[in-house]
Amino acid sequence: MAVSDTLSKSAPSRADRGRRKGITLTVIAATQLMVVLDATIVNIALPHIQDALKFSTTNLSWVINAYTLTFGGLLLLGGRAGDILGRRRVFITGVLLFGLASLLGGFAQDGTMLLASRALQGIGGAICSPTAFALIATNFEEGPERNRAFGVFSAVAGSGAAIGLLAGGVLTEYLNWRWVFFVNVPIAVLIAVLAPMYINESERQEGTFDLPGALTSTLGLVTLVYGFIHAASDGWSSTPTLASFAVGAALLAAFVVIERRTARPITPLHLFRDRNRTGGLVMMLCLAAAMFGIFFYVTLFVQRVLGYSPLKAGVAFLPISVAIVIAAQIASNLQARFGPRPFVVGGAVLVTGGLAWLTQTTADSSYALGVLGPTVTFGFGMGLIFVPVMLIAVSGVADRETGAASGLLNSVQQIGGSLGLSILTTVFANASADEFGRQQADYLANAPVEAKAFLQQNHQLMPGTRWASEVLAYGISHAFVVGVVFAAVALLAAVFLIRAKASDLPTEGAAGMAL
């Protein structure tokens, strides 16, 4: 006899119903937490992954990009799949795929296997994350019950970055880097077992999949990112670099044509007609580009230059998460009084200032002045921006397209992070190569024998030496010059595009969008 039949034949008490709803919400929220924290839990392990699998610093960025590109590129398609095929069914499929990919990543023996597993993780996350959000509407009654569920879901999404940093530090330091992947496996299995028992299936909707749109957009972005990263090693004028840019541009142009002609496009292009929404999306694209760069390069700095352990590095990043949460609460509470503009403009100014501060990074920078000050400034600015941009994204949108609008914002966040990190990586690689050339003679003359042997075998300076620290810090400081440019574009969008007033924004609707 099915579990649902057994439950329907009994009359559960209010306490039983509350307990069941609690388990339902726990399963859904745990899934979102697993997906969200995966973007940061891996960051702390990056130096150890680099050493174990022999990644160059340039190619190491693919460990992040392989996940975020597939996740962001297929997010809208995953939500559509849940509507058509049944949200619970698709949810479980995505969770199991994410768990399988995590298992493969933990056992990876080379860079290719790890990157393939990260891409598969992104696909699994793109399938289960939007359906997790939609399942709240399916399983909780409209009103206070659903609002409380959305509140818990949002809190979990917002805290995912901080939890990921701490968890990554603990797992890497006390076990090893492979456990940042293995930890997902039992969680995914448990969710897949509990989901049929406590989550109701949704009614299937009629419709079609916009597979051509999803594939052209995702492949186009992957090709562009490959072009930027390849430019870091072979130069802007190399044939593979130019071919990547050409193919990427052609695929994205095809995507626009497909979306204009498709009856049910994965990205309704008319959403861009609203200047406020377009301004918000531009801001999220640029600011995510800078934020991903901070998590990637400052992680390398605190471990490679300051010599922090993985756990200490995770703790060192907590202030930025705290700053984001505090600022987001301020913006949320004062939004109705002052409207979004003061927060997006003021936040963009702080973000620009924090990134400009990071351009002053040197091998002699302390944690307080080189990391804590600029990242907290940046984080507070981001926190002021998140809530108004989320509300702007869904304001004035028909109910049937609210999911598409919120999903578009999340996709832009992931895609912006990937493109931004690839561009920063290109600048980092060129600046580091210049500094490496200046340091090489002194290194060969004065470095220990084992350090010289490391250079001959790996074609890079031995991590932990003063020469390597100076090269890394020099590259990071120059990469964040590009981050300042991204922030300046976001500031211009805030000043010249966003005109929304407090009365234009919905009182609800942004719940559940990842911070």
Side-chain angles (χ1 to χ4, degrees):
M1 182 178 292
V3 172
S4 58
D5 294 337
T6 303
L7 292 172
S8 65
K9 288 185 178 182
S10 61
S13 66
R14 180 176 298 178
D16 290 335
R17 290 197 301 271
R19 190 178 302 111
R20 178 182 173 85
K21 291 288 188 181
I23 297 175
T24 299
L25 182 57
T26 299
V27 172
I28 294 173
T31 304
Q32 182 66 4
L33 178 63
M34 180 178 69
V35 172
V36 170
L37 67 80
D38 203 74
T40 55
I41 193 173
V42 175
N43 272 280
I44 297 299
L46 285 174
H48 296 264
I49 293 173
Q50 182 178 23
D51 293 340
L53 301 184
K54 307 302 180 184
F55 279 102
S56 67
T57 302
T58 300
N59 289 332
L60 188 65
S61 62
W62 276 111
V63 177
I64 305 299
N65 286 334
Y67 177 78
T68 54
L69 277 172
T70 51
F71 179 63
L74 299 175
L75 195 61
L76 294 175
L77 183 65
R80 186 70 178 143
D83 294 338
I84 296 174
L85 301 176
R87 291 168 183 167
R88 187 180 69 183
R89 179 181 293 104
V90 171
F91 171 79
I92 294 172
T93 301
V95 167
L96 290 175
L97 183 60
F98 191 93
L100 174 62
S102 299
L103 184 66
L104 295 175
F107 283 118
Q109 298 301 308
D110 55 43
T112 301
M113 183 176 177
L114 181 64
L115 296 183
S117 69
R118 287 290 283 165
L120 195 61
Q121 271 188 310
I123 296 172
I127 293 173
C128 65
S129 181
T131 50
F133 177 62
L135 280 170
I136 292 180
T138 304
N139 287 267
F140 295 87
E141 295 181 5
E142 187 174 0
E145 181 181 89
R146 187 179 297 176
N147 292 341
R148 284 193 297 270
F150 277 137
V152 171
F153 189 88
S154 298
V156 166
S159 62
I163 295 172
L165 292 168
L166 282 178
V170 171
L171 292 170
T172 304
E173 183 157 345
Y174 293 109
L175 296 172
N176 61 54
W177 65 266
R178 297 183 183 277
W179 280 93
V180 301
F181 299 105
F182 286 147
V183 70
N184 293 323
V185 178
I187 298 173
V189 171
L190 183 60
I191 290 171
V193 170
L194 293 177
M197 300 168 60
Y198 292 97
I199 296 178
N200 298 323
E201 182 59 283
S202 63
E203 294 183 5
R204 297 189 185 187
Q205 301 178 14
E206 294 184 359
T208 58
F209 293 108
D210 182 17
L211 287 175
L215 291 176
T216 51
S217 62
T218 304
L219 291 176
L221 291 166
V222 169
T223 308
L224 281 182
V225 168
Y226 176 80
F228 281 115
I229 294 179
H230 199 277
S233 58
D234 286 7
W236 292 96
S237 60
S238 68
T239 300
T241 300
L242 295 176
S244 296
F245 288 143
V247 172
L251 286 169
L252 292 178
F255 165 72
V256 173
V257 173
I258 290 169
E259 298 306 277
R260 290 174 64 91
R261 297 180 178 180
T262 302
R264 296 295 298 270
I266 193 172
T267 305
L269 297 181
H270 66 83
L271 292 176
F272 292 95
R273 293 173 187 166
D274 184 281
R275 64 180 293 168
N276 291 308
R277 186 177 302 109
T278 299
L281 292 172
V282 169
M283 290 192 72
M284 185 58 76
L285 183 79
C286 294
L287 296 178
M291 184 167 65
F292 276 51
I294 282 182
F295 280 112
F296 183 84
Y297 283 111
V298 179
T299 295
L300 293 179
F301 180 83
V302 297
Q303 294 189 67
R304 294 296 198 197
V305 178
L306 297 183
Y308 283 13
S309 67
L311 179 57
K312 190 175 181 180
V315 174
F317 269 96
L318 282 183
I320 187 175
S321 299
V322 173
I324 290 174
V325 171
I326 292 174
Q329 289 301 312
I330 293 173
S332 179
N333 293 332
L334 298 178
Q335 200 73 192
R337 182 177 179 183
F338 296 105
R341 218 159 169 267
F343 299 100
V344 295
V345 173
V349 170
L350 288 174
V351 165
T352 305
L355 289 165
W357 194 343
L358 283 170
T359 64
Q360 305 305 304
T361 300
T362 69
D364 297 322
S365 295
S366 65
Y367 169 72
L369 295 178
V371 177
L372 181 63
T375 57
V376 167
T377 302
F378 176 90
F380 198 86
M382 288 295 288
L384 293 178
I385 292 168
F386 272 130
V387 173
V389 165
M390 288 176 178
L391 293 173
I392 288 169
V394 297
S395 65
V397 176
D399 289 343
R400 67 180 183 278
E401 291 186 332
T402 299
S406 61
L408 179 60
L409 181 66
N410 278 328
S411 295
V412 164
Q413 181 179 350
Q414 300 298 323
I415 291 166
S418 294
L419 287 173
L421 181 56
S422 67
I423 295 171
L424 263 66
T425 297
T426 302
V427 176
F428 167 86
N430 290 327
S432 296
D434 292 340
E435 184 64 14
F436 175 84
R438 287 189 288 270
Q439 296 280 350
Q440 189 172 4
D442 184 49
Y443 184 86
L444 292 174
N446 298 299
V449 174
E450 62 271 18
K452 297 176 184 177
F454 185 92
L455 174 62
Q456 292 180 339
Q457 293 173 3
N458 299 280
H459 306 291
Q460 60 182 7
L461 304 179
M462 176 181 279
T465 62
R466 66 174 176 85
W467 300 275
S469 296
E470 289 173 359
V471 168
L472 181 65
Y474 186 86
I476 289 173
S477 66
H478 282 69
F480 281 118
V481 171
V482 180
V484 173
V485 174
F486 288 143
V489 173
L491 178 58
L492 291 174
V495 172
F496 294 107
L497 290 179
I498 295 179
R499 291 287 186 270
K501 302 175 182 177
S503 57
D504 298 327
L505 302 182
T507 56
E508 299 177 10
M513 286 183 277
L515 292 180

